[in-house]
């Protein structure tokens, strides 16, 4: 989930600028002209044959008109219904940093890479329809289980089971190193958005473009210590629950935590009519032996209840300064996500200083890529090829 401080800043904001509907995708888009300038020679009155007197029959001797070559079209993802796919064709694992990371892979081995990063309480199946859409366009799609989820395991029993935001981000950098991926498009939601945002901010040379649902999610722990509006605090009921012994006991019991996670799904995606089989596929990831420790640590750390590992302190100091993101970015708001009211993303717009576009996805809840795979895949392609 996004952090409550980010949510409290956007709660109650309107949609200042007019938005344009994108037919067939359920999207509204608001592009920011200040971030997209025309290339040299483009624009009104520029280029060969422009200006007064141009065209057939003009100029001395009535020179014949020149036919301009056709501009190649960029392939776009086809429209698919959510739930079209249920499994990934290829599952792999690799040792990376402190983890043995289990991940799905789709598409050609030498294609441009897209890393899709899931959130909580979800897993790689959030991208089960997105991955084949992108693979069909020639992308190599990597979808890892984050630490504490699914088949991802710590290499040593002595490694502390912590989950600071920088630790999760460094896991993904280590994965890129292990797979010899120099640069990739990063696309995520929830914990995945935060992780992608961090990598784009601290290691921009590793990020070709960014798709971030809910916008800028880098956590400032000190800001989290202050109370938020009552409605915001209400939305974060489960975070306060995790801070109690009752919440800890629930998370440490496999059956109880699975039931708990299903309840969260129903709250944050009110229009998503998922079936038992869909939830069961993801719930297998919640059986990871480190799941409770990782989830509890992450949410307790965010509100200052536990200290992080010292080895991550230097990264957290950088992140507390709320660094800007310069890489080409598309941010997405799910209109029915209770944590992210729709709008033009004005509360976090200042953090994105490169080419940028914001979109709202209508009638969709928190699990945006699984509920609206075509819209999410479109955003990936557009961030990579059009910004």
């Amino acid at each position: 989930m996004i952090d409550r401080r980010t949510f409290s800043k956007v709660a109650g904001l309107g949609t200042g600028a007019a938005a344009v509907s994108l037919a067939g995708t359920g999207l509204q888009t608001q592009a920011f002209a200040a971030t997209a300038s025309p290339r040299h020679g483009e624009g009104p009155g520029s280029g060969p044959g422009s200006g007064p007197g141009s065209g057939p029959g003009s100029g001395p001797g009535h020179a014949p008109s020149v036919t301009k070559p056709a501009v190649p079209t960029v392939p776009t993802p086809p429209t698919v219904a959510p739930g079209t796919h249920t499994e990934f064709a290829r599952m792999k694992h690799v040792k990376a940093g402190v983890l043995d990371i289990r991940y799905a892979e789709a598409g050609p081995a030498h294609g441009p890479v897209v890393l899709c990063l899931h959130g909580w309480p979800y897993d790689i199946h959030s991208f089960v329809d997105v991955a084949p859409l992108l693979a069909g366009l020639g992308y190599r799609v990597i979808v890892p289980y984050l630490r504490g989820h699914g088949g991802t395991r710590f290499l040593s029993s002595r490694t502390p089971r912590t989950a600071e935001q920088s630790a999760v981000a460094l896991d993904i950098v280590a994965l890129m190193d292990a797979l010899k991926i120099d640069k990739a498009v990063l696309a995520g939601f929830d914990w995945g958005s935060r992780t992608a945002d961090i990598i784009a901010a601290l290691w921009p040379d590793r990020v070709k473009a960014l798709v971030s649902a809910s916008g800028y999610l880098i956590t400032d722990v000190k800001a989290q210590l202050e109370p938020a509006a009552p409605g915001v605090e209400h939305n974060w009921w489960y975070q306060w629950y995790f801070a109690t012994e009752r919440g800890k006991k629930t998370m440490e019991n496999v059956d109880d935590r699975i039931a708990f996670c299903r309840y969260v799904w129903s709250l944050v995606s009110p229009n998503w009519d998922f079936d038992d089989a869909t939830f069961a596929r993801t719930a297998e990831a919640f059986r990871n032996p480190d799941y409770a420790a990782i989830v509890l640590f992450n949410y307790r750390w965010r509100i200052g209840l536990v200290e992080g590992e010292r080895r991550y302190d230097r990264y957290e100091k950088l992140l507390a300064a709320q660094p800007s993101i310069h890489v080409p970015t598309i941010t997405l708001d799910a209109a029915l996500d209770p944590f992210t009211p729709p709008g033009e993303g004005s509360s976090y717009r200042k953090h994105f200083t490169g080419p940028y576009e914001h979109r709202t996805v209508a009638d969709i809840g928190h699990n945006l890529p699984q509920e609206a795979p075509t819209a999410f895949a479109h955003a990936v392609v557009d961030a990579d090829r059009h910004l």
Side-chain angles (χ1 to χ4, degrees):
M1 300 296 178
I2 67 172
D3 69 65
R4 65 189 182 95
R5 183 58 46 194
T6 299
F7 174 80
S8 66
K9 289 180 181 178
V10 299
L13 289 176
T15 55
V20 180
S21 295
L22 297 183
T25 63
L27 291 174
Q28 290 182 310
T29 182
Q30 176 61 52
F32 291 83
T35 64
S37 56
R39 291 171 292 186
H40 179 72
E42 293 183 348
S46 64
S50 64
S54 64
S58 65
H62 302 289
S65 61
V66 178
T67 302
K68 294 182 180 180
V71 178
T73 58
V74 177
T76 58
T79 299
V80 299
T84 298
H85 303 88
T86 59
E87 299 293 347
F88 293 91
R90 282 183 285 167
M91 295 298 303
K92 300 182 177 182
H93 70 96
V94 65
K95 292 180 180 179
V98 299
L99 301 174
D100 186 295
I101 296 179
R102 181 82 166 167
Y103 66 96
E105 182 168 347
H110 301 291
V113 179
V114 178
L115 271 165
C116 294
L117 305 174
H118 70 79
W120 182 89
Y122 306 97
D123 82 329
I124 63 173
H125 287 88
S126 289
F127 300 99
V128 74
D129 287 318
V130 172
L133 289 176
L134 296 174
L137 298 179
Y139 287 100
R140 179 189 180 193
V141 186
I142 306 292
V143 191
Y145 283 106
L146 300 184
R147 62 168 55 194
H149 292 74
T152 291
R153 296 289 189 273
F154 284 88
L155 293 173
S156 171
S157 60
R158 295 188 297 272
T159 302
R161 271 40 174 180
T162 65
E164 306 90 329
Q165 59 183 348
S166 59
V168 180
L170 284 164
D171 292 343
I172 301 306
V173 173
L175 173 65
M176 294 175 70
D177 291 342
L179 297 179
K180 297 180 170 51
I181 297 169
D182 293 328
K183 181 175 283 196
V185 177
L186 301 187
F189 76 107
D190 196 85
W191 287 26
S193 286
R194 180 175 295 106
T195 302
D197 288 350
I198 291 168
I199 298 171
L202 298 188
W203 299 280
D205 56 315
R206 308 299 299 269
V207 183
K208 186 179 180 185
L210 172 68
V211 174
S212 182
S214 303
Y216 188 90
L217 296 187
I218 296 175
T219 299
D220 178 0
V221 174
K222 185 177 289 187
Q224 291 285 95
L225 300 180
E226 296 300 318
V232 176
E233 302 284 18
H234 175 266
N235 276 342
W236 281 97
W237 64 272
Y238 63 88
Q239 181 166 264
W240 318 131
Y241 183 61
F242 288 162
T244 69
E245 188 62 24
R246 292 166 68 96
K248 181 174 181 287
K249 288 180 178 179
T250 293
M251 292 303 291
E252 290 177 344
N253 180 292
V254 174
D255 292 337
D256 288 348
R257 72 180 179 232
I258 288 175
F260 183 92
C261 290
R262 179 165 186 146
Y263 181 64
V264 172
W265 275 34
S266 68
L267 291 181
V268 300
S269 295
N271 267 18
W272 186 27
D273 188 23
F274 61 89
D275 59 21
D276 291 344
T278 297
F279 178 77
R281 283 189 288 271
T282 289
E284 284 300 310
F286 308 157
R287 298 180 182 276
N288 184 296
D290 298 311
Y291 186 81
I294 293 300
V295 173
L296 290 169
F297 185 95
N298 182 274
Y299 284 104
R300 291 178 170 191
W301 171 84
R302 290 194 209 179
I303 56 176
L305 296 182
V306 294
E307 294 289 330
E309 279 194 88
R310 293 189 63 182
R311 63 170 148 171
Y312 300 118
D313 284 352
R314 64 189 179 109
Y315 302 109
E316 294 302 336
K317 184 176 180 180
L318 294 171
L319 297 173
Q322 301 285 274
S324 296
I325 292 173
H326 309 298
V327 304
T329 299
I330 290 178
T331 56
L332 300 172
D333 273 354
L336 299 183
D337 183 353
F339 297 94
T340 313
E344 73 245 31
S346 59
S347 65
Y348 50 73
R349 176 66 184 93
K350 66 181 180 180
H351 294 294
F352 298 98
T353 58
Y356 178 80
E357 186 177 305
H358 179 82
R359 299 175 180 179
T360 295
V361 188
D363 302 321
I364 294 300
H366 192 71
N367 189 5
L368 199 158
Q370 195 163 2
E371 296 179 60
T374 301
F376 195 90
H378 266 285
V380 171
V381 173
D382 290 347
D384 178 34
R385 299 180 179 180
H386 294 304
L387 288 187

